[in-house]
């Protein structure tokens, strides 16, 4: 078990971090955030299973002891960097999400200083929405988006310094 981190750090995502992330298991309804096996991701060359994409867009979030606490995708778009994030399941729901997000926002701001920072979140995920709001994100739009289980409502949230 990882001790509760007081500080999070963003580092390049190493293959062993990617493999570990693929083993994480979330309790319902958050189980939709699980990944396929590391072997499948590498074979298909998808997401952080693609070595080039992993280097260009993915980072790991670690604590002071170097324990893997989560990850982020920093997806560049026109004038915007869109965040995709995931926290280690046993750290979720313990009031650390805003600190986790602050580290990721700082990394995004450093890598893309001229870009707006946003993210998408399912409207039912109030736990994540509270963490994002506490970090400085504001809901700016609501829309439906296709997911593996059909169209679902999402919020777009924008970081406001």
């Amino acid at each position: 078990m990882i001790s509760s981190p007081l500080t999070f750090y963003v580092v390049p995502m190493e293959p062993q971090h990617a493999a570990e992330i693929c083993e994480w298991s979330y309790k319902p309804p958050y189980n939709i955030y699980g990944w396929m096996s590391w072997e499948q991701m590498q074979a298909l060359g998808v997401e952080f299973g693609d070595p080039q994409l992993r280097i260009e867009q993915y980072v790991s979030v670690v604590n002071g002891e170097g324990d893997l606490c989560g990850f982020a995708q920093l997806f560049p778009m026109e004038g915007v960097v869109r965040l995709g994030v995931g926290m280690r399941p046993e750290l979720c729901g313990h009031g650390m999400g805003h600190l986790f997000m602050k580290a990721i926002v700082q990394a995004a701001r450093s890598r893309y200083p001229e870009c707006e920072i946003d993210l998408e979140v399912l409207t039912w995920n109030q736990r994540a929405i509270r963490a994002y709001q506490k970090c400085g994100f504001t809901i700016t739009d609501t829309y439906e988006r296709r997911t593996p289980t059909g169209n679902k409502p999402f919020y777009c949230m924008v970081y406001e310094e």
Side-chain angles (χ1 to χ4, degrees):
M1 176 68 183
I2 292 179
S3 61
S4 294
L6 296 175
T7 306
F8 292 103
Y9 303 93
V10 174
V11 299
M13 182 182 282
E14 300 293 335
Q16 66 268 23
H17 287 164
E20 187 176 336
I21 291 163
C22 290
E23 295 175 6
W24 291 351
S25 178
Y26 296 92
K27 293 179 181 164
Y30 304 101
N31 57 328
I32 64 166
Y33 296 116
W35 295 92
M36 64 182 77
S37 76
W38 176 231
E39 292 74 22
Q40 284 179 294
M41 289 187 73
Q42 287 180 299
L44 296 172
V46 295
E47 302 294 344
F48 49 78
D50 175 334
Q52 191 63 36
L53 196 60
R54 186 173 59 250
I55 290 166
E56 292 173 0
Q57 295 185 13
Y58 285 90
V59 294
S60 294
V61 181
V62 300
N63 65 11
E65 284 106 46
D67 298 320
L68 180 64
C69 298
F71 70 92
Q73 181 182 23
L74 310 177
F75 183 76
M77 302 187 317
E78 187 73 32
V80 177
V81 59
R82 175 150 296 156
L83 304 181
V85 302
M87 183 181 259
R88 177 182 285 281
E90 60 266 28
L91 297 179
C92 294
H94 296 287
M96 296 180 282
H98 69 289
L99 299 172
F100 179 81
M101 288 303 298
K102 285 282 187 193
I104 294 167
V105 165
Q106 188 175 35
R109 177 69 66 227
S110 174
R111 192 179 287 190
Y112 300 101
E114 71 290 346
C115 288
E116 179 178 87
I117 299 171
D118 77 5
L119 55 80
E120 295 177 314
V121 60
L122 285 157
T123 59
W124 62 259
N125 193 345
Q126 292 300 308
R127 182 173 75 182
I129 293 165
R130 282 190 303 274
Y132 301 153
Q133 288 173 325
K134 194 170 179 182
C135 176
F137 284 84
T138 302
I139 296 170
T140 58
D141 197 9
T142 306
Y143 46 84
E144 284 203 353
R145 212 183 90 200
R146 183 182 306 277
T147 72
T149 58
N151 287 342
K152 302 288 184 204
F154 282 80
Y155 291 134
C156 180
M157 299 183 73
V158 175
Y159 181 71
E160 317 232 341
E161 297 184 59

